[in-house]
Amino acid sequence: ATTEVYEPRASPAGLIWTSTTVTGLEYDKAVSKGFMRLFHYISGGNVDKAKVPMTAPVRVRVMPGAGPFCESNFTISFFVPFVPGQPGVQIDPPAPTDPEVFTETDPSAFTAYVRSFSGYANEATLISNAATLVSALEADGKGSAKDRDHFFFAGYDAPFSPLHRHNEVWYTHAEGEVVAPAAA
């Protein structure tokens, strides 16, 4: 059920993303580097030299390092667009020319607990919202932070859109947990 802090959201299996992984200590620098790699890809940096439409969200999988001075892994992903006029059918993305860019598919359906927030997202706002989400999930008996080795950030707005920005932090549900999809 949706709460004041989060909503459960079902996601189908098989969604396709174009991704790159950056290892580093700082979220903002890593995401900027990854975003530029992917922007190059959609601007024609692929075997077809094709421009690929920019879509939302931009998803970042954050796997925090083991300690305060350990590097984290950030997998930045652009959602592969749908075929025009064919809702639910994604294009066959052209192969990247950069060896650090790859195509991946969500292997199975999942439910994410989603916390939405506005404004420009940076490392501080992301950590604050992720901590709020984890606290609420723990209070609701939906696992603990130690059971979660990663979380996601999803951004929906272009960097030059200053008003009414929509951002999300997601934790996917624990193995075997059943969560009903949120009402539309």
Side-chain angles (χ1 to χ4, degrees):
T2 298
T3 73
E4 288 184 20
V5 177
Y6 64 86
E7 70 171 292
R9 187 179 303 155
S11 183
L15 293 178
I16 306 167
W17 303 81
T18 300
S19 303
T20 188
T21 300
V22 179
T23 301
L25 293 173
E26 295 181 44
Y27 172 86
D28 298 325
K29 286 183 181 178
V31 170
S32 179
K33 183 176 184 177
F35 184 94
M36 291 313 297
R37 277 185 201 158
L38 296 175
F39 188 77
H40 176 73
Y41 167 82
I42 67 169
S43 298
N46 53 66
V47 295
D48 295 347
K49 296 182 175 41
K51 293 197 183 302
V52 178
M54 180 73 195
T55 60
V58 173
R59 179 174 81 175
V60 182
R61 181 179 184 202
V62 181
M63 292 192 70
F69 300 106
C70 297
E71 292 185 323
S72 297
N73 284 326
F74 305 95
T75 301
I76 301 91
S77 303
F78 283 5
F79 185 75
V80 172
F82 292 114
V83 175
Q86 296 186 42
V89 178
Q90 289 176 276
I91 67 167
D92 182 17
T97 53
D98 182 338
E100 293 185 289
V101 175
F102 54 93
T103 299
E104 64 179 335
T105 302
D106 289 340
S108 57
F110 64 91
T111 297
Y113 296 110
V114 178
R115 175 170 172 76
S116 298
F117 61 100
S118 61
Y120 282 95
N122 58 34
E123 186 170 354
T125 59
L126 183 60
I127 290 170
S128 172
N129 280 282
T132 299
L133 177 56
V134 167
S135 293
L137 294 173
E138 288 177 343
D140 290 348
K142 303 203 181 298
S144 71
K146 68 179 180 2
D147 298 330
R148 305 172 193 280
D149 68 348
H150 68 278
F151 63 93
F152 293 94
F153 164 75
Y156 290 84
D157 301 288
F160 50 83
S161 297
L163 301 175
H164 312 293
R165 298 182 65 79
H166 182 81
N167 306 294
E168 298 173 344
V169 61
W170 307 344
Y171 275 101
T172 55
H173 70 82
E175 191 66 33
E177 190 174 43
V178 178
V179 179

